[in-house]
Amino acid sequence: MEAALDAGADMVGLMFFPKSPRHVSLSKACKLADMARGKAEIVAVTVNMDPDGLSRIRELVNPDMIQFHGSEAPEALAAAKVMQGTKVMKALSVGEREDLERARYYSIVADWILFDAKPPKDSELPGGNGVSYDWTLLKDLDLEKPFLLSGGLDPANVGDAIRQSGVKAVDVSSGVERDKGVKDSERIRAFVAAAKSA
């Protein structure tokens, strides 16, 4: 968290998904959120979480935004936005141009859309798999809401990804880790620097 904030990250994500090696407890998330508050937007990353779970996160962690990274319908985002009083982001899996059409349904309610790579067939994780896709699919995409490119990004390729896609925002997780679920401060700093310079 310190490395991300020092490097100038605009958003920081806290993962609330027990199957993920990046999952954080509510108590740890509270401490990390306190470090970030006022310095970067705090994003609570969830996967098909029930309303009670979302309420607990909202009450204890008080994130600026909730990311929905599962199979949630637009109606679930709309309900959470009203009930939790927070901005919402929807992560969508991309493999081909047709996959982008789903974003139009979500952009009616979502404040942000995140385009991630489709997970490998044997993966239990909907994201954070280090898998990439054709970044040019996002070139000239006209959505009414801002969006991020995610999937297989690291310090070495993020500049190319930005140039090829034309996006203004990127997201990273496994690409700045030294081991699965273990972030590397130097890779975080290098990633943010490369992204901002591109």
Side-chain angles (χ1 to χ4, degrees), residues 95-149:
E96 52 199 32
R97 187 164 297 282
E98 290 70 34
D99 295 325
L100 300 176
E101 287 308 309
R102 292 179 57 222
R104 308 221 179 269
Y105 299 105
Y106 286 97
S107 66
I108 295 167
V109 64
D111 297 283
W112 282 84
I113 301 289
L114 181 144
F115 293 107
D116 200 354
K118 287 187 175 177
K121 290 195 177 358
D122 60 345
S123 177
E124 290 188 355
L125 305 177
N129 293 295
V131 179
S132 188
Y133 59 98
D134 180 2
W135 301 317
T136 63
L137 291 175
L138 301 183
K139 189 83 172 167
D140 302 322
L141 177 63
D142 185 20
L143 272 184
E144 292 183 5
K145 298 293 173 67
F147 56 91
L148 300 101
L149 166 63

Side-chain angles (χ1 to χ4, degrees), residues 24-32:
V24 291
S25 65
L26 280 169
S27 60
K28 188 174 224 176
C30 289
K31 292 174 187 162
L32 293 169

Side-chain angles (χ1 to χ4, degrees), residues 46-185:
T46 65
V47 179
N48 299 323
M49 185 173 282
D50 60 60
D52 287 344
L54 295 174
S55 294
R56 278 197 303 279
I57 291 170
R58 180 69 175 130
E59 181 182 339
L60 297 172
V61 182
N62 192 24
D64 299 298
M65 190 175 332
I66 298 174
Q67 182 187 128
F68 295 83
H69 212 118
S71 57
E72 306 90 355
E75 294 79 9
L77 274 69
K81 196 169 185 176
V82 172
M83 291 172 62
Q84 309 308 330
T86 184
K87 293 188 288 186
V88 295
M89 177 188 296
K90 179 65 179 114
L92 297 172
S93 298
V94 177
E96 52 199 32
R97 187 164 297 282
E98 290 70 34
D99 295 325
L100 300 176
E101 287 308 309
R102 292 179 57 222
R104 308 221 179 269
Y105 299 105
Y106 286 97
S107 66
I108 295 167
V109 64
D111 297 283
W112 282 84
I113 301 289
L114 181 144
F115 293 107
D116 200 354
K118 287 187 175 177
K121 290 195 177 358
D122 60 345
S123 177
E124 290 188 355
L125 305 177
N129 293 295
V131 179
S132 188
Y133 59 98
D134 180 2
W135 301 317
T136 63
L137 291 175
L138 301 183
K139 189 83 172 167
D140 302 322
L141 177 63
D142 185 20
L143 272 184
E144 292 183 5
K145 298 293 173 67
F147 56 91
L148 300 101
L149 166 63
S150 184
L153 299 179
D154 60 36
N157 69 15
V158 67
D160 285 339
I162 291 170
R163 285 185 285 275
Q164 290 178 33
S165 65
V167 299
K168 294 180 172 54
V170 290
D171 171 85
V172 69
S173 188
S174 60
V176 292
E177 292 178 344
R178 62 174 170 265
D179 290 308
K180 206 168 192 73
V182 182
K183 297 289 183 279
D184 182 284
S185 296

